[in-house]
């Protein structure tokens, strides 16, 4: 990875993503901007991010998204293996909660200013 070791996976039409980007910019944090729908992280990258995050894997799902609802995941996730969940997340960037910001062994999912400040400043 180059100097810019932070990867920001976001979606331009997402208000939360815009807030997170604005926060990163205001705090002079350099990042690589990746369109999560066009270039979602691969399964093994997701596995690493999940393990680094300390979060439940379910927290990586965009539960308010259309894809999540269409697939009926609310009821299916509890019976799915971690492998199957990671396959699903890697297959559709719209299923991943955004923004997903990763780098230097740190991960934030979604945008909460407190979490961002703790992780990235």
């Amino acid at each position: 990875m180059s100097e810019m070791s932070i990867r920001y996976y976001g979606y331009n039409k997402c208000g939360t993503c815009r807030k997170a980007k604005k926060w990163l910019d205001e705090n002079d944090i350099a990042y690589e901007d990746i369109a999560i729908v066009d270039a979602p992280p691969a399964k093994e990258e997701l596995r690493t991010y999940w393990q680094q995050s300390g979060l439940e894997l379910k927290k990586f799902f965009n539960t308010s998204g259309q894809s999540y609802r269409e697939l009926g995941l609310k009821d299916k996730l509890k019976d799915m293996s971690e492998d199957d969940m990671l396959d699903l997340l890697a297959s559709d960037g719209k299923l991943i909660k955004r923004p997903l910001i990763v780098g230097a062994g740190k991960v934030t999912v979604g945008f909460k200013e407190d979490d961002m400040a703790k992780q990235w400043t």
Side-chain angles (χ1 to χ4, degrees), residues 42-110:
K43 179 181 180 179
E44 290 312 312
E45 285 177 296
L46 284 163
R47 184 185 306 278
T48 301
Y49 301 158
W50 162 53
Q51 289 167 342
Q52 289 173 339
S53 75
L55 297 169
E56 273 183 272
L57 188 51
K58 281 187 244 178
K59 299 273 187 217
F60 276 75
F61 281 87
N62 174 13
T63 55
S64 55
Q66 196 175 344
S67 296
Y68 184 89
R69 288 194 302 269
E70 283 172 3
L71 292 170
L73 292 178
K74 183 174 180 250
D75 301 319
K76 292 180 184 166
L77 279 185
K78 63 181 177 298
D79 300 320
M80 285 176 100
S81 70
E82 290 166 355
D83 247 16
D84 289 344
M85 284 190 217
L86 289 164
D87 280 334
L88 207 52
L89 287 167
S91 73
D92 183 352
K94 288 183 177 170
L95 284 174
I96 302 170
K97 184 169 179 148
R98 53 191 185 249
L100 172 63
I101 305 171
V102 299
K106 299 184 277 194
V107 178
T108 52
V109 183

Side-chain angles (χ1 to χ4, degrees), residues 5-10 16-25 29-34 36 41 46 49-50 52-53 55 60 96-112 115-117 119-120:
S5 59
I6 294 175
R7 290 180 174 179
Y8 163 94
Y9 290 93
T16 307
C17 294
R18 287 195 296 266
K19 281 185 212 157
K21 225 183 217 187
K22 184 174 184 248
W23 187 92
L24 289 167
D25 292 341
I29 297 166
Y31 56 90
E32 179 184 356
D33 192 346
I34 301 167
I36 200 164
L46 284 163
Y49 301 158
W50 162 53
Q52 289 173 339
S53 75
L55 297 169
F60 276 75
I96 302 170
K97 184 169 179 148
R98 53 191 185 249
L100 172 63
I101 305 171
V102 299
K106 299 184 277 194
V107 178
T108 52
V109 183
F111 175 69
K112 287 196 182 87
D115 293 348
M116 295 282 285
Q119 292 286 5
W120 306 113

